[in-house]
Amino acid sequence: MKEMTLAPLPYADDALAPVISAKTISFHYGKHHAGYVKTLNGLVVGKEIYEGRSLESITCSSYDLNDTAIFNNAAQIWNHDFYWRSLAPAGKGGEPSAELLSAINASFGSLDACKAALADAAVKRFGSGWAWLLKKDGKLVVESTSNADTPCGKPFVTPLLVIDVWEHAYYLDWQNQRAAYVKAVVDGHLDWLSATRRFGG
Ligand code: MN
């Protein structure tokens, strides 16, 4: 049986400090994200439509079949893989390509306005969830999702970046200051090089 594995972090566990500390990574990646992987592997045992399938396939099928526990864990694995790959160490995230910047300007007016829209969605998401920059039907949009909800597998949607606003993402470093965590991530740790690659693909 092919089990889900925890994808490696794309940087050292202290690479995002002090905005996201090694201690936060140790719990967020090492306990929460790893926990979703372990739980999902347990939930799919003996279930032919899920066992051995890709993460995307499990996420989509469990959503369609309303298998809530499987969906929540599968989607959270996908969302966290995407989150770690939406972030970069300070100074390493680069800038949007000319093509991506042109789409950003068309949708938001400027890169600063795009960042402000993403931050606003992240701050205003009530409770746990995610704030996304998406390419949707060819246009860029900002949306937020609740709990484990995900754009993974949605037709005509390409996620470009995400920010995790579950409290486990920021509470050790920022306590109740979600807006400060979000601002620090948006200003210094978004991986525009990866966003550019996804946009072009
Ligand atoms: Mn999380």
Side-chain angles (χ1 to χ4, degrees):
M1 184 189 77
K2 184 167 78 79
E3 288 212 319
M4 290 291 149
T5 53
L6 180 63
L9 273 185
Y11 30 68
D13 63 358
D14 61 353
L16 306 174
V19 173
I20 297 170
S21 66
K23 186 173 182 184
T24 288
I25 295 277
S26 76
F27 284 96
H28 193 181
Y29 174 73
K31 304 292 184 190
H32 291 277
H33 187 175
Y36 297 127
V37 173
K38 185 164 186 280
T39 301
L40 183 67
N41 281 328
L43 287 170
V44 300
V45 170
K47 296 193 169 118
E48 200 180 323
I49 55 167
Y50 299 123
E51 203 170 2
R53 301 299 173 100
S54 71
L55 184 58
E56 288 77 6
S57 165
I58 294 171
T59 303
C60 291
S61 299
S62 59
Y63 180 81
D64 291 341
L65 296 169
N66 223 9
D67 274 341
T68 307
I70 289 180
F71 173 77
N72 283 340
N73 284 279
Q76 282 293 81
I77 297 168
W78 195 91
N79 289 347
H80 281 88
D81 282 340
F82 198 83
Y83 172 62
W84 304 125
R85 285 157 185 77
S86 293
L87 304 177
K92 304 281 192 195
E95 298 292 335
S97 66
E99 290 81 3
L100 176 54
L101 188 59
S102 170
I104 286 171
N105 289 339
S107 288
F108 301 99
S110 68
L111 180 58
D112 280 349
C114 173
K115 289 177 178 177
L118 183 61
D120 190 57
V123 170
K124 287 184 176 160
R125 163 52 47 193
F126 188 78
S128 295
W130 305 82
W132 305 85
L133 177 63
L134 306 170
K135 184 167 79 169
K136 197 170 186 179
D137 296 323
K139 281 192 62 179
L140 297 191
V141 295
V142 161
E143 291 182 5
S144 74
T145 57
S146 174
N147 296 320
D149 284 351
T150 181
C152 170
K154 298 283 191 293
F156 310 112
V157 176
T158 304
L160 302 184
L161 293 170
V162 74
I163 302 174
D164 187 343
V165 291
W166 285 56
E167 285 186 345
H168 66 222
Y170 59 89
Y171 224 81
L172 291 175
D173 299 317
W174 298 90
Q175 294 79 49
N176 61 317
Q177 301 175 88
R178 183 193 288 191
Y181 151 74
V182 166
K183 181 174 175 12
V185 167
V186 168
D187 285 350
H189 290 285
L190 291 179
D191 187 351
W192 290 105
L193 300 177
S194 291
T196 291
R197 202 173 56 246
R198 293 166 190 137
F199 176 76

